[in-house]
Amino acid sequence: MIRIVVIIFYLIFTVPLVSEARMLIITTLDNPPQAYLENNVPKGFLVDVISAAVRRSGNDCKIMVVPWKRALRMVKKGSADAVFNAGYTAERNKYLFYLSNVLATEKVVAFRRSNTSVYLKPDLSNARDYIVGIGRGFYYGKLIQDKLDANGFKRVEDVPNIEWNMKKLKAGRIDLFFGDYFPAMKLLSERESDSGVELIANPENGTPVIYARSDTYLAFSRKSVSPALADKINKELIRMKEDGEYDAIINKYIADYKDVE
């Protein structure tokens, strides 16, 4: 009789814990076309990629698009389980563990007002000539971060998102601002010829200047997620790249996208 009670106790309280799926809270920033809100619903190709990978792992997720500093603060406190579009830094690694698989590679470009001579060199050697706009809490790679840390620009102004940088640029309050290539292309395609803004390009061949390349990841809170669960989702991301689902999702958002080197 005691043995039967023990077995029943095990089945009731142990088996559900093993099979129960997690509902993960995952944060990110407003960064179209990777992630954005449409009628208060998260959209974007990385939103779809992450959601698919989590579902394929047998779990589910709620994605929250919030200001970047809040996204990091939530995952640091453990009130969120993961954050994506996160570059690696030593400071973040103290409270996050990163998947081995790169989620997406950001290419940092810069905007200037149309028909101006503003040209920030790829090595940033003339950075002292320009007032630059940056996203608050954003990481643009080591070269730019080192220049920012050394106060190497004429002046730096930080704002919550790319739209604010666009307004400041058009108002003449900054000379240029940095941004990721994906949202830059989306922004330009939406504004078309009336934007008054253009990408800084190489004067010799007209190709956009790439100031930095930065791998970004899906990273998990050390407080709320086990390495085993993170590894399971990581394997699904790898499989998605191998079976073509990853590329198919991106193509839904950027049908005419052309990569730049």
Side-chain angles (χ1 to χ4, degrees), residues 30-241:
D30 179 32
N31 193 30
Q34 292 101 313
Y36 56 95
L37 290 174
E38 186 176 285
N39 298 322
N40 291 319
V41 177
K43 300 285 186 179
F45 69 79
L46 289 185
V47 170
D48 290 358
V49 165
I50 296 299
S51 298
V54 172
R55 286 195 300 269
R56 285 171 58 144
S57 75
N59 297 278
D60 204 349
C61 64
K62 175 183 178 182
I63 292 177
M64 300 177 62
V65 179
V66 296
W68 186 233
K69 283 195 172 183
R70 188 191 306 171
L72 293 175
R73 186 168 60 250
M74 289 175 66
V75 78
K76 184 176 182 178
K77 291 169 56 180
S79 58
D81 300 300
V83 60
F84 68 86
N85 224 17
Y88 177 88
T89 68
E91 177 60 29
R92 292 175 188 170
N93 193 49
K94 293 176 183 177
Y95 58 90
L96 297 174
F97 57 88
Y98 290 77
L99 299 187
S100 62
N101 182 49
V102 173
L103 181 61
T105 298
E106 293 185 345
K107 299 177 179 70
V108 177
V109 294
F111 283 121
R112 66 186 176 196
R113 287 184 298 281
S114 299
N115 303 314
T116 64
S117 60
V118 171
Y119 178 67
L120 180 64
K121 295 179 181 179
D123 63 0
L124 310 186
S125 58
N126 62 337
R128 184 63 68 182
D129 297 336
Y130 299 117
I131 302 170
V132 63
I134 61 172
R136 192 169 298 146
F138 286 33
Y139 179 70
Y140 298 106
K142 187 177 186 305
L143 179 68
I144 294 173
Q145 189 61 51
D146 286 349
K147 187 67 70 171
L148 291 169
D149 291 343
N151 296 317
F153 292 93
K154 186 175 183 180
R155 191 170 76 246
V156 175
E157 297 195 10
D158 65 338
V159 296
N161 55 47
I162 196 171
E163 292 285 352
W164 277 97
N165 268 326
M166 174 77 80
K167 291 176 182 178
K168 282 192 172 186
L169 183 66
K170 294 174 75 171
R173 294 175 58 186
I174 57 176
D175 299 311
L176 62 97
F177 68 85
F178 292 115
D180 177 30
Y181 185 69
F182 282 114
M185 290 299 96
K186 179 176 175 61
L187 200 62
L188 284 184
S189 66
E190 290 175 347
R191 300 297 194 277
E192 295 182 343
S193 60
D194 65 346
S195 69
V197 172
E198 64 187 12
L199 286 171
I200 292 180
N202 187 314
E204 295 182 359
N205 56 28
T207 59
V209 176
I210 306 299
Y211 293 95
R213 289 171 173 80
S214 178
D215 291 336
T216 67
Y217 300 84
L218 173 62
F220 290 86
S221 171
R222 293 185 181 273
K223 287 189 175 182
S224 64
V225 178
S226 70
L229 176 55
D231 183 62
K232 194 173 183 181
I233 295 171
N234 185 49
K235 288 177 179 176
E236 292 303 332
L237 281 171
I238 293 171
R239 292 190 184 103
M240 287 176 65
K241 290 184 177 182

